[in-house]
């Protein structure tokens, strides 16, 4: 830096070269401050040169003044640029000094999650939410009445065999279907004003069948059931809702078809099927060659059931469907077989 | 049901023969095809029939479905000429026999083999069978009625169809001995039982290749009775299978005429005329012979159900007629018809709904115009249990807990394990009468045995961190039995942790001490409470399944709603579990009334003043007692008491436990002097109530 600048020997190019050299040599904040002040400070070179401007001949004064102004502008820009450069360098230095290998094992609470059956139930709940169904619960240890008699399943029906039903020592049954909740709810609603109509319920939970267990059969599994009783419900409504539900679950381009079934508590009874996702309805081992896979059973609530709870089958009708959530959950969430859902092998629940 | 395409084609002209296309039609008609076998000469369909459709167990029944679908006429099987009643003598003495027909005929030697390769599941006795047996089976396969042949020479006196007065043993024609229950339908001659009606014949009257004259039985038995008998005998025959599902009540004379025709033809005759070998025939309807239902049918209802406004009357009635219904118009304006159910459908069609089902099925379910019901705004109240689950899930899954589903039952070994430690009250296990095996014979009274098994197994499989939860029911009989109730079911939230808190193998996550594990669990319990908008407190508890020194009751406003602690060492040992298990159980129904929606809390503008104190606590004294005592004392300005931690000097049993008391006055800034006075109250209260001293 020049201690006593002389305006008479001022050369803009030389001056700017020196300014740039001085700023380029700055390596920290205090040097920057010192360099800035040496040019732009109260006693800085540029200020001092400006004070000497009157010594410059008139014909050159304008040129020199302009040169000094430019020099001042360059010094200011260099100050800001160097400041940014120093900050950036400082940040880089700080960053390069710290390294944490985030591929090392994590700590913390670990990974939790809800059961695939519940995930599937929620998926179905969400699809049916616009219809305004209420979720209801009922006992798992049931009376013969709610599990069978009230549902048009007479004493001689095969479903009541010891081979199919678990009986308790005190003469009750482990519910074989969530339809027993339907019976209780219809009984309860029928005592309300106007028969509690519309009755719009979803019941879901554990059911029990006296079946030898293997990879695809369990003595305890989960069902999901819907019941809607109201005046004017039709078979076509049931089919419409099921088509909506299955397309919601499997994709709107999935084909849905209905086949006749038999359930004692519904008439007509229908099975709802989708075209096989594996062979796309051409027929393969997984769909038994038919090209279709049954997803759920359904029907119009049998008039004997409606009558049992005091509803006039000529005035109201009911639609119902039930599906095995465990089987569907296995399919949706990649379980090789039904048993995996109940094995509780935590290794299979990772991720 | 094994359906042979060629045989079906004899009965009806099919619109197509491609097996894949036919399969779609069969499925659509409710005849679910389980498999198709396409052979050079025969194509067969393996069909799973619906449980109420006895008429689908034979070719004629299935041909009728095609007749309904395509409005084609049936080519009915050829019959011998009309049989007229003669003096063949038998008596129906039970109302469970609805109809009994019999034909007495010579049985010369002839050969018969079904051209459609009929198979039967029934294993006959070792004696070589007469061709008549094959023939009867073939007619059943064709027309649906099971029939039975008795060796005429082995019968003594008149046949009687009776109800068994008591249990009796028979030797059946399959060579086995069966116990027939009282009430069963028996066919008896004057000395012995010769058949169990609808189920199986007896060896003592069976036809053999030596038989020269026989009586062919064609009957209709009450389905429920046949079912009960077959179940009690532990047998299922082709006959019982068909009778249980209901046969055509008008079939007996026709079936016998078909038999006479086929025998005649087998003997070289033309078959049509009444065979010279038939001696006598008789057909008697029993007292309980059913009348086919006559049902009203509104065609408008069909159109509405199927959402097909333009489905015309003829389209509906012609299909019903093709299915065998008698259709009579009652009121043209109202579209009211009266239909008489065909004799082969009386078991499955009892209501107008069932007729509509037939129309829908035959017309084609794929032709129904789908609709959605008109929706009115509905605001269902959320199920409280569902609300509970929805709220606790984030607390549990966020803490790394995985939801599991365990069985609802366990075995006597688990019961013994629990019983040895006693029950919390006089609850008893609810036992199953017909469990799959002993390990599933007791409904679970506690989730501990199943969690113990789950954790122990997963630890053995190398899972180092186990944190699981389950929302389930526990069952039992006993103390909670209310008037008229046979047992109790309670919804519980159970969760357990064992091993590391984190599955990761990081060195920093080494196994926790039991205290750390339990206190981490306590944190989860409190998070669950917070999620539910309740404030849990902890107090001394005596759950027999938990370590007596490592457990606490969970309470809300003085009501016990659960318990948590370390599973009892004896249970761990019995369950062969090598790690400690922290376990918590919350009673959902007890908590629900206290649960509140979580919202914003009021924040005071006044600053708190906090004072810490360290107390000397005896070895088994719960620190929470200090908190409970002070909060119950309602000391002025005392807002909160927290347990900060404890320290035990080496060689000492007494614990130095530090508490923090927070004081606040919402109306003004508290003075230290005021707090000093309240702390004096605190010390006095603790001294008088618990004899505790400041360290």
């Amino acid at each position: 830096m020049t201690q006593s600048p002389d305006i008479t020997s001022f050369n803009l190019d030389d001056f700017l070269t020196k300014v740039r050299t001085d700023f380029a040599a700055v390596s920290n904040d205090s040097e920057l401050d010192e360099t800035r002040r040496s040019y732009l400070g109260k006693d800085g070179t540029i200020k001092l040169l400006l004070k000497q401007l009157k010594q410059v001949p008139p014909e050159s004064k304008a040129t020199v003044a302009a040169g000094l102004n430019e020099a001042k502008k360059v010094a200011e820009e260099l100050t800001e640029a160097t400041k940014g450069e120093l900050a950036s360098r400082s940040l880089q230095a700080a960053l390069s000094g710290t390294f944490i290998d985030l591929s090392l094992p994590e700590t913390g609470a670990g990974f939790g999650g809800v059961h695939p059956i519940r995930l599937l139930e929620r998926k179905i709940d969400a699809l049916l939410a616009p219809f305004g169904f209420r979720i209801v619960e009922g006992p798992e240890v049931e009376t013969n009445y709610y599990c069978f008699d009230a549902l048009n399943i007479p004493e001689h029906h095969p479903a009541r065999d010891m081979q199919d039903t678990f009986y308790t020592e005190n003469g009750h049954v482990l519910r074989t279907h969530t339809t027993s909740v339907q019976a209780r709810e219809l009984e309860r609603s029928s005592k309300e004003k106007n028969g509690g109509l519309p009755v719009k319920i979803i019941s879901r939970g554990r059911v029990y069948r006296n079946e030898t267990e293997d990879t695809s059969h369990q003595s305890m599994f989960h069902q999901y059931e819907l019941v809607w009783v109201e005046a004017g419900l039709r078979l076509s409504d049931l089919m419409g809702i099921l088509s909506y539900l299955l397309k919601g679950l499997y994709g709107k381009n999935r084909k849905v078809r209905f086949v006749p079934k038999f359930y004692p508590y519904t008439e007509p009874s229908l099975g709802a099927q989708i075209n096989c996702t594996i062979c796309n309805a051409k027929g393969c081992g997984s769909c038994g060659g038919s090209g279709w896979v049954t997803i759920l059973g359904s029907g119009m609530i049998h008039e004997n059931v409606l009558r049992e709870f005091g509803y006039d089958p000529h005035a109201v009708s009911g639609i119902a469907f039930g599906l095995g959530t465990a089987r569907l959950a296995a399919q949706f969430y990649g379980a090789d077989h039904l048993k995996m859902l109940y094995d509780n092998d935590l290794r299979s629940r990772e991720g | 049901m094994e359906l042979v395409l060629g045989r079906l084609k004899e009965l009806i002209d099919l619109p197509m023969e491609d097996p894949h296309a036919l399969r779609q039609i069969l499925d659509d008609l409710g005849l679910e095809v389980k498999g198709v076998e396409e052979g050079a000469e025969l194509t067969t369909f393996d069909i799973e029939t619906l449980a109420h459709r006895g008429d689908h167990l034979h070719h004629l029944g299935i041909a009728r479905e095609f007749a309904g679908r395509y409005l084609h006429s049936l080519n009915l099987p050829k019959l011998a000429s009309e049989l007229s009643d003669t003096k063949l003598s038998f008596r129906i003495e039970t109302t469970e026999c609805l109809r009994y027909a019999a034909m007495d005929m010579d049985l010369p030697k002839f050969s018969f083999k079904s051209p459609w390769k009929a198979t039967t599941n029934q294993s006959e006795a070792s004696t070589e069978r007469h061709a008549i047996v094959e023939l009867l089976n073939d007619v059943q396969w064709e027309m649906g009625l099971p029939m039975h042949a008795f060796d005429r020479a082995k019968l003594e006196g008149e046949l009687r169809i009776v109800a068994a007065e008591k249990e009796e043993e028979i030797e059946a024609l399959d060579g086995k001995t069966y116990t027939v229950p009282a009430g069963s339908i028996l066919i008896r001659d004057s000395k012995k039982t010769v058949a169990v009606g609808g189920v199986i014949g007896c060896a003592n009257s069976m036809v053999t290749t030596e038989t020269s004259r026989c009586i062919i039985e064609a009957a209709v038995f009450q389905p429920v009775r046949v079912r009960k008998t077959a179940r009690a005998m532990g047998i299922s025959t082709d006959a019982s299978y068909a009778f249980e599902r209901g046969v055509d009540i008008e079939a007996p004379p026709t079936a016998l005429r078909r038999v006479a025709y086929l025998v005649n033809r087998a003997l070289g005759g033309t078959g049509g005329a009444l065979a010279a070998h038939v001696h006598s025939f008789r057909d008697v309807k029993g007292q309980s012979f059913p009348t086919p239902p006559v049902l009203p049918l509104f065609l408008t209802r069909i159109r509405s159900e199927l959402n097909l406004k333009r489905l015309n009357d003829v389209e509906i009635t012609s299909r019903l007629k093709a299915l065998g219904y008698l259709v009579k118009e009652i009121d043209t304006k109202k579209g009211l018809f009266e239909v008489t159910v065909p004799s082969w459908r009386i078991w499955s069609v009892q209501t107008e709904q069932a007729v509509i089902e037939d129309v829908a099925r035959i017309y084609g379910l794929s032709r129904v115009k789908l609709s959605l019901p008109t929706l009115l705004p509905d605001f269902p109240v959320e199920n409280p249990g569902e609300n509970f689950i929805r709220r606790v899930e984030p607390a549990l899954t966020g803490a790394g807990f995985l939801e599991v589903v365990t069985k609802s039952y366990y075995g006597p070994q688990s019961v013994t394990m629990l019983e040895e430690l006693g029950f919390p009250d006089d609850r008893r296990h609810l036992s199953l009468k017909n469990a799959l095996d002993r390990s599933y014979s007791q409904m679970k009274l506690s989730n501990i045995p199943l969690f113990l098994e789950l954790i122990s197994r997963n630890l053995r499989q190398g899972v180092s961190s186990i944190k699981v939860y389950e929302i389930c029911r526990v069952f039992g009989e006993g103390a909670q039995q209310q008037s008229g109730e046979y047992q109790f079911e309670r919804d519980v939230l159970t969760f357990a942790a064992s091993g590391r808190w984190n599955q990761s193998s990081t060195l920093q996550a080494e196994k926790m001490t039991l205290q750390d594990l339990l206190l981490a669990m306590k944190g989860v319990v409190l998070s669950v409470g917070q999620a539910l908008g309740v404030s849990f407190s902890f107090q001394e508890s005596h759950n027999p399944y938990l370590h007596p020194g490592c457990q606490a009751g969970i309470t809300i406003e003085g009501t016990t709603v659960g318990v948590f602690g370390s599973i009892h060492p004896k249970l761990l040992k019995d369950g062969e579990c090598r790690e400690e298990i922290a376990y918590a159980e919350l009673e959902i129904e007890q908590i629900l009334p206290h649960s509140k929606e979580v919202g914003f809390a009021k924040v005071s503008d006044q600053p708190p003043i906090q004072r810490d104190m360290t107390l000397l606590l005896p070895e088994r004294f719960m620190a929470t007692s200090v908190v409970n005592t002070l909060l119950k004392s309602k000391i002025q300005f005392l807002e909160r008491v927290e347990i900060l931690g404890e320290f035990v000097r080496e060689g000492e049993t007494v614990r130095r436990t530090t508490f923090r008391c927070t004081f606040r006055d919402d109306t003004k800034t508290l003075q230290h002097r005021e707090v000093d006075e309240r702390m004096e109250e605190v010390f006095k209260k603790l001294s008088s109530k618990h004899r505790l001293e400041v360290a």
Side-chain angles (χ1 to χ4, degrees):
Chain A
M1 276 173 273
T2 310
Q3 288 298 313
S4 49
D6 179 4
I7 191 74
T8 56
S9 58
F10 177 75
N11 177 287
L12 180 60
D13 291 341
D14 292 347
F15 189 82
L16 288 179
T17 302
K18 179 148 179 36
V19 170
R20 288 191 177 106
T21 307
D22 286 346
F23 273 97
V26 164
S27 64
N28 56 47
D29 287 348
S30 64
E31 283 178 12
L32 173 64
D33 192 45
E34 195 182 325
T35 306
R36 184 190 63 79
R37 277 193 278 110
S38 73
Y39 286 105
L40 299 170
K42 198 165 63 177
D43 298 324
T45 310
I46 294 172
K47 281 277 165 94
L48 293 175
L49 286 170
L50 282 169
K51 283 179 187 169
Q52 295 173 33
L53 201 57
K54 57 188 176 200
Q55 298 172 22
V56 179
E59 65 276 13
S60 308
K61 194 178 270 183
T63 309
V64 172
L68 283 173
N69 278 334
E70 189 183 341
K72 186 185 172 202
K73 191 182 165 202
V74 168
E76 283 168 349
E77 284 171 358
L78 282 171
T79 301
E80 285 307 307
T82 309
K83 195 190 277 180
E85 177 68 17
L86 286 176
S88 172
R89 262 189 258 156
S90 164
L91 179 64
Q92 284 301 325
L95 293 176
S96 63
T98 307
F99 175 70
I100 299 170
D101 182 356
L102 293 181
S103 67
L104 287 171
E106 72 287 354
T107 57
F111 317 107
V114 297
H115 196 275
I117 291 174
R118 197 177 297 286
L119 288 177
L120 186 79
E121 286 175 345
R122 299 260 161 85
K123 204 183 261 280
I124 303 172
D125 287 349
L127 284 165
L128 296 173
F131 294 95
F133 291 95
R134 206 161 41 85
I135 295 171
V136 294
E137 291 168 355
E140 291 176 27
V141 179
E142 257 301 357
T143 63
N144 277 290
Y145 175 72
Y146 292 111
C147 200
F148 300 126
D149 297 335
L151 297 171
N152 198 38
I153 306 175
E155 199 186 340
H156 58 79
H157 194 276
R160 293 179 72 151
D161 274 358
M162 288 283 275
Q163 288 91 328
D164 298 322
T165 308
F166 287 120
Y167 287 87
T168 65
E169 288 288 359
N170 62 13
H172 292 84
V173 298
L174 301 196
R175 67 180 182 195
T176 54
H177 45 200
T178 45
T179 317
S180 55
V181 183
Q182 173 194 145
R184 284 182 175 271
E185 196 60 25
L186 287 180
E187 183 181 61
R188 192 194 61 73
S189 300
S190 65
K191 291 171 186 161
E192 291 179 4
K193 193 180 168 190
N194 297 328
L197 296 175
V199 179
K200 290 163 82 172
I201 55 165
I202 285 168
S203 58
R204 42 185 169 72
R206 297 170 191 231
V207 297
Y208 306 86
R209 301 268 171 91
N210 194 343
E211 283 191 336
T212 305
E213 298 196 331
D214 55 33
T215 52
S216 51
H217 296 89
Q218 292 288 295
S219 61
M220 184 199 87
F221 54 98
H222 285 70
Q223 270 190 352
Y224 189 110
E225 183 164 304
L226 172 145
V227 172
W228 185 347
V229 178
E230 194 172 0
L233 291 171
R234 304 168 296 170
L235 183 67
S236 59
D237 294 331
L238 169 68
M239 293 166 77
I241 290 172
L242 294 181
S243 181
Y244 157 81
L245 175 66
L246 294 181
K247 284 173 184 283
L249 281 173
Y250 290 93
K252 64 181 180 184
N253 295 324
R254 183 70 43 203
K255 284 182 187 158
V256 176
R257 79 169 185 180
F258 298 92
V259 292
K261 289 280 176 188
F262 170 69
Y263 309 108
Y265 31 86
T266 50
E267 192 172 64
S269 304
L270 305 176
Q273 302 183 327
I274 57 162
N275 56 344
C276 177
T277 50
I278 293 165
C279 65
N280 203 20
K282 289 186 180 74
C284 66
S286 135
C287 60
S290 75
W292 295 88
V293 180
T294 301
I295 303 298
L296 54 84
S298 64
M300 303 299 293
I301 296 175
H302 200 288
E303 61 182 56
N304 290 351
V305 177
L306 291 173
R307 224 176 260 121
E308 177 70 22
F309 298 110
Y311 292 103
D312 176 2
H314 297 291
V316 299
S317 52
I319 61 179
F321 79 77
L323 59 87
T325 21
R327 200 169 294 280
L328 251 63
Q331 184 193 84
F332 264 85
Y333 300 107
D336 292 339
H337 45 72
L338 189 68
K339 189 166 175 273
M340 275 182 82
L341 290 161
Y342 298 104
D343 260 356
N344 297 315
D345 181 343
L346 301 185
R347 294 172 301 177
S348 70
R349 298 282 302 280
E350 284 177 0
Chain B
M1 162 68 187
E2 187 188 12
L3 177 74
V4 180
L5 180 55
R7 179 157 225 174
L8 185 66
K9 280 163 61 183
E10 276 197 340
L11 296 166
I12 188 146
D13 295 328
L14 295 174
M16 77 284 281
E17 291 191 18
D18 169 51
H20 186 72
L22 270 174
R23 179 180 193 153
Q24 303 296 319
I25 303 298
L26 288 163
D27 281 346
D28 203 32
L29 288 167
L31 294 151
E32 191 181 350
V33 179
K34 291 301 205 185
V36 184
E37 207 167 296
E38 292 180 62
E41 294 176 2
L42 292 174
T43 296
T44 58
F45 297 89
D46 177 17
I47 289 178
E48 189 169 285
T49 57
L50 300 175
H52 67 320
R53 295 299 299 268
D55 62 314
H56 278 173
L57 295 174
H58 51 94
H59 284 77
L60 180 58
I62 293 175
R64 283 195 194 107
E65 298 292 318
F66 279 90
R69 171 64 64 96
Y70 296 104
L71 300 174
H72 290 180
S73 303
L74 287 172
N75 307 315
L76 291 170
K78 289 180 179 162
L79 308 176
S81 57
E82 198 83 29
L83 299 168
S84 53
D85 274 0
T86 56
K87 59 186 176 184
L88 178 63
S89 177
F90 58 78
R91 279 184 288 157
I92 299 176
E93 296 177 10
T94 171
T95 54
E96 310 259 31
C97 176
L98 308 179
R99 185 170 194 164
Y100 199 85
M103 183 166 68
D104 180 1
M105 64 189 290
D106 284 332
L107 203 55
K109 285 199 174 9
F110 65 89
S111 66
F112 177 84
K113 188 171 182 305
S114 169
W116 310 113
K117 294 179 188 170
T119 56
T120 57
N121 296 324
Q122 191 173 318
S123 78
E124 302 286 350
S126 55
T127 319
E128 200 183 335
R129 298 202 296 191
H130 192 287
I132 189 71
V133 177
E134 286 298 335
L135 190 147
L136 294 184
N137 287 338
D138 195 57
V139 174
Q140 180 185 345
W141 194 33
E142 180 184 47
M143 300 176 66
L145 189 72
M147 285 175 281
H148 180 66
F150 299 101
D151 187 329
R152 179 74 180 82
K154 294 173 186 169
L155 299 178
E156 299 168 274
E158 185 185 58
L159 284 181
R160 291 162 56 227
I161 300 93
V162 301
E165 287 178 10
K166 57 180 193 299
E167 192 175 275
E168 72 172 79
E169 278 201 349
I170 59 133
E171 191 192 340
L173 45 74
D174 62 1
K176 295 178 185 168
T177 302
Y178 295 95
T179 303
V180 183
S184 300
I185 305 162
L186 300 181
I187 318 302
R188 292 181 60 85
D189 66 9
S190 61
K191 298 206 170 148
K192 60 187 180 294
T193 298
V194 293
V196 181
V199 182
I200 196 166
C202 295
N204 57 19
S205 56
M206 69 189 280
V207 293
T208 67
T209 49
E210 304 305 313
T211 302
S212 59
R213 187 169 165 176
C214 72
I215 287 186
I216 313 272
E217 165 199 283
V220 179
F221 299 111
Q222 178 57 250
V224 175
R225 176 53 60 191
V226 173
R227 210 184 101 66
K228 284 180 179 170
T229 300
R231 293 282 158 169
M233 289 170 67
I235 186 176
S236 176
T237 61
D238 285 351
S240 68
Y241 194 83
F243 281 118
E244 285 176 30
R245 282 152 185 79
V247 297
D248 179 0
I249 55 172
E250 296 294 351
T254 317
L256 287 175
R257 285 173 63 197
R258 178 67 175 160
V259 171
Y261 171 87
L262 291 172
V263 171
N264 207 15
R265 208 176 62 170
L267 289 169
T270 57
L274 176 57
H277 49 269
V278 175
H279 291 279
S280 57
F281 158 80
R282 195 168 164 222
D283 174 24
V284 177
K285 290 175 181 172
Q287 283 177 19
S288 309
F289 185 75
T291 309
V294 178
L295 302 166
L297 183 67
F298 286 93
L299 300 195
T300 47
R301 189 174 167 198
I302 294 181
R303 291 188 192 100
S304 166
E305 287 285 344
L306 310 187
N307 196 24
L308 295 170
K309 286 175 191 154
R310 294 186 182 171
L311 186 62
N312 65 49
D313 293 8
V314 177
E315 181 79 68
I316 298 169
T317 55
S318 59
R319 285 173 199 281
L320 285 172
K321 284 175 189 169
L323 285 176
Y325 286 89
L326 294 175
V327 182
K328 189 175 155 190
E329 190 167 7
I330 301 294
D331 187 330
T332 315
K333 270 190 178 174
K334 288 182 181 169
L336 174 61
F337 284 73
E338 191 179 78
V339 294
T340 306
V341 177
S343 56
W344 53 88
R345 292 297 307 280
I346 64 161
W347 311 106
S348 52
V349 179
Q350 301 282 337
T351 62
E352 188 187 5
Q353 272 182 311
V355 183
I356 292 172
E357 178 172 29
D358 262 357
V359 174
R361 192 170 48 78
I362 291 299
Y363 185 70
L365 288 168
S366 58
R367 298 167 77 179
V368 173
K369 193 175 167 194
L370 305 192
S371 56
L372 285 176
T374 309
L375 282 176
L376 292 172
D378 212 342
F379 306 100
V381 178
E382 188 179 20
N383 175 282
E386 197 57 27
N387 178 284
F388 180 96
I389 296 167
R390 185 174 54 74
R391 290 167 74 176
V392 301
E393 259 172 17
L396 289 160
T397 56
F401 281 72
L402 267 178
E403 187 178 24
V404 293
V405 176
T406 65
K407 288 274 197 293
S408 295
Y409 20 65
Y410 43 59
Q413 197 184 348
S414 298
V415 175
T416 308
M417 271 165 53
L418 298 176
E419 274 178 353
E420 283 175 3
L421 293 169
F423 289 130
D425 44 42
D426 72 344
R427 296 171 197 179
R428 295 187 310 276
H429 278 90
L430 186 64
S431 304
L432 290 181
K433 200 166 160 183
N434 59 332
L436 274 179
D437 61 49
R438 275 168 61 77
S439 60
Y440 286 172
S441 62
Q442 310 290 322
M443 297 304 288
K444 66 181 173 190
L445 189 58
S446 160
N447 221 15
I448 288 178
L450 294 166
F451 266 20
L452 186 56
E453 186 280 328
L454 183 158
I455 290 169
S456 185
R457 177 165 43 85
N458 276 284
L459 285 170
R460 281 199 302 278
Q461 288 166 340
V463 182
S464 58
S465 166
I466 297 173
K467 290 190 287 183
V468 290
Y469 75 97
E470 183 176 23
I471 294 152
C472 64
R473 293 212 175 141
V474 290
F475 308 82
E477 296 181 296
Q480 296 202 1
Q481 193 169 345
Q482 292 166 12
S483 58
E485 293 220 353
Y486 49 89
Q487 80 268 309
F488 68 83
E489 291 184 24
R490 294 179 295 119
D491 287 322
V492 289
L493 164 63
T494 57
F495 47 107
S498 187
R500 296 175 175 183
W501 195 248
N502 187 349
Q503 181 81 38
S504 153
S505 53
T506 178
L507 294 174
Q508 283 84 356
E510 276 307 332
K511 192 184 145 190
M512 302 168 96
T513 64
L514 177 59
Q515 177 169 319
D516 288 343
L517 180 66
L518 287 169
L519 294 180
M521 274 291 276
K522 183 186 170 188
V524 180
V525 171
L526 287 169
S527 296
V528 165
Q530 198 162 24
L532 293 168
V534 298
S535 178
F536 287 142
S537 301
F538 300 91
Q539 66 176 24
E540 197 175 321
S541 74
H542 303 283
N543 187 296
Y545 312 138
L546 300 179
H547 190 304
C550 308
Q551 63 170 287
I554 303 166
T555 63
I556 305 172
E557 295 165 13
T559 306
T560 301
V561 296
V563 66
F564 91 102
S566 170
I567 286 186
H568 199 290
K570 185 176 180 309
L571 291 177
L572 293 178
K573 185 165 173 274
D574 292 346
E576 296 175 358
C577 185
R578 59 171 199 259
E579 298 277 3
E580 305 277 7
I581 300 174
Y583 176 82
E585 183 169 313
L586 293 169
E587 301 270 357
I588 296 177
E589 280 171 34
Q590 298 275 352
I591 295 172
L592 285 176
H594 302 276
S595 176
K596 296 180 195 81
E597 284 299 331
V598 179
F600 287 100
K602 191 181 168 220
V603 179
S604 176
D605 293 335
Q606 304 302 328
I609 294 182
Q610 294 178 324
R611 292 289 165 85
D612 292 351
M613 62 179 176
T614 300
L615 301 173
L616 298 174
L617 302 188
E619 201 177 5
R620 286 181 169 270
F621 184 86
M622 289 187 80
T624 192
S625 304
V626 170
V627 178
N628 292 341
T629 298
L630 293 178
L631 293 179
K632 271 188 202 163
S633 303
K634 301 204 180 299
I635 293 168
Q636 195 182 15
F637 309 134
L638 181 60
E639 184 181 80
R640 195 164 67 237
V641 182
E642 295 161 279
I643 306 163
L644 297 187
E646 70 172 16
F647 171 72
V648 181
R649 281 187 184 158
E650 209 173 316
E652 281 188 358
T653 54
V654 70
R655 297 142 58 206
R656 287 154 206 275
T657 309
T658 304
F659 297 83
R660 171 165 293 166
C661 299
T662 301
F663 297 89
R664 194 194 310 259
D665 182 347
D666 287 333
T667 59
K668 61 175 175 41
T669 302
L670 275 180
Q671 302 300 307
H672 283 281
R673 178 184 46 79
E674 292 173 296
V675 175
D676 291 343
E677 286 167 11
R678 302 300 172 271
M679 281 306 285
E680 281 304 314
E681 276 185 60
V682 165
F683 295 134
K684 268 188 200 163
K685 190 74 196 172
L686 294 176
S687 173
S688 64
K689 174 92 178 175
H690 300 297
R691 301 182 181 210
L692 295 177
E693 290 176 15
V694 177

